[in-house]
Amino acid sequence: LSRRDAAALKNSAFNIPPKEQKYPEFMRGQWEVESNFRGFLFPSTTIPKSDVSKKTDVPGFQKCSIAQICDVGRESTKYFMKIDYNSGLEDRAFNFAQVIDSNLGYKGVEEVIYDGASNPNRISISFVKNRTRNAERIELFCNARESELVPPTDERMSIFVCSEYVRQVTFSLSTEFGVARQVVGNYAHFWTWREQPDKGILTGNLLTAAYLDPNDALFFQEPAKPVAVYSHDLKASRLIKQ
């Protein structure tokens, strides 16, 4: 992230299953988050932008193809976020339902199934039947997770950076009776959260890098670097003051 180079956001190889993400003390609690779309770019130097833009299966090009930002270009979105005070773990079921419904603009999520104790790297999201065109169910598989707490200096307070590499399988209705449409996408989220003097405020940003699937015809032209990167500015306001 410090290099400010989108092409440096390389995809992660499969490795040891990662543990749950633990958040620092300054992020724990209940928040209202405002997310504002900042822009996008096509960083690939080996695949022309015109070829990338023609592809409909790149994560982010269709609604619900990235669960966390299921309407990527939505100008502004507000949602609630919970991080447990004691454990530092987020309430993933609650948070995903919140961010998806807020992006869609209506109650689209029927159920989120997540058990961090038994498997912190899989999430199942079911949608209200026949309400969301591109998704009846989403399965998320986390391949890697990293984080770092950057200590404060004389000029600034603490900064927390974390990332999550995801393989998403989206099931939706198809034109063939009895057969679900299935779309696979690979992407990674890179969060930066900044502590503020006002303990009731957090600022940050989210970069989302979309990668080609290994089954894509163009995969070997860009096997590790993203073909699209989306940027969102974040501001969180604490709901219950400490």
Side-chain angles (χ1 to χ4, degrees), residues 182-196:
Q182 179 177 321
V183 178
V184 177
N186 297 279
Y187 55 84
H189 295 303
F190 301 86
W191 284 274
T192 301
W193 287 104
R194 299 175 182 85
E195 185 181 16
Q196 301 298 315

Side-chain angles (χ1 to χ4, degrees), residues 42-62:
F42 298 143
S44 177
T45 58
T46 59
I47 303 177
K49 293 180 182 179
S50 58
D51 289 348
V52 175
S53 61
K54 291 176 184 176
K55 302 182 69 61
T56 60
D57 55 355
V58 172
F61 283 16
Q62 293 191 30

Side-chain angles (χ1 to χ4, degrees), residues 128-194:
V128 177
K129 190 173 180 61
N130 298 328
R131 187 157 195 196
T132 303
R133 180 179 179 183
N134 291 334
E136 292 288 314
R137 190 174 94 250
I138 287 176
E139 298 290 335
L140 300 177
F141 304 89
C142 179
N143 302 323
R145 195 177 284 119
E146 298 175 312
S147 65
E148 180 183 1
L149 179 60
V150 182
T153 66
D154 292 338
E155 291 78 27
R156 57 157 178 79
M157 302 187 73
S158 297
I159 299 174
F160 182 67
V161 293
C162 59
S163 63
E164 188 169 66
Y165 294 80
V166 178
R167 183 172 178 84
Q168 175 174 323
V169 183
T170 307
F171 299 90
S172 61
L173 299 176
S174 70
T175 55
E176 186 176 350
F177 180 76
V179 179
R181 176 175 174 264
Q182 179 177 321
V183 178
V184 177
N186 297 279
Y187 55 84
H189 295 303
F190 301 86
W191 284 274
T192 301
W193 287 104
R194 299 175 182 85

Side-chain angles (χ1 to χ4, degrees), residues 222-234:
E222 199 66 280
K225 296 179 181 179
V227 293
V229 176
Y230 315 106
S231 177
H232 291 79
D233 289 330
L234 305 173

Side-chain angles (χ1 to χ4, degrees), residues 7-108:
L9 304 177
K10 293 184 178 181
N11 201 356
S12 175
F14 289 92
N15 48 26
I16 298 173
K19 297 179 180 180
E20 286 185 274
Q21 179 60 64
K22 190 172 184 178
Y23 290 86
E25 290 188 8
F26 74 84
M27 289 190 65
R28 299 178 187 184
Q30 299 182 39
W31 305 85
E32 182 180 50
V33 182
E34 180 178 357
S35 173
N36 292 295
F37 181 60
R38 188 173 183 180
F40 68 95
L41 56 84
F42 298 143
S44 177
T45 58
T46 59
I47 303 177
K49 293 180 182 179
S50 58
D51 289 348
V52 175
S53 61
K54 291 176 184 176
K55 302 182 69 61
T56 60
D57 55 355
V58 172
F61 283 16
Q62 293 191 30
K63 278 191 177 181
C64 298
S65 57
I66 301 178
Q68 179 71 30
I69 46 172
C70 60
D71 188 352
V72 170
R74 187 180 176 97
E75 185 176 346
S76 183
T77 306
K78 287 186 177 181
Y79 55 91
F80 297 111
M81 176 177 71
K82 290 182 180 179
I83 299 175
D84 187 76
Y85 278 111
N86 297 317
S87 66
L89 303 177
E90 66 170 308
D91 186 337
R92 301 215 79 179
F94 174 85
N95 289 351
F96 264 112
Q98 277 288 312
V99 75
I100 292 173
D101 285 349
S102 296
N103 269 268
L104 291 176
Y106 58 83
K107 173 64 176 175

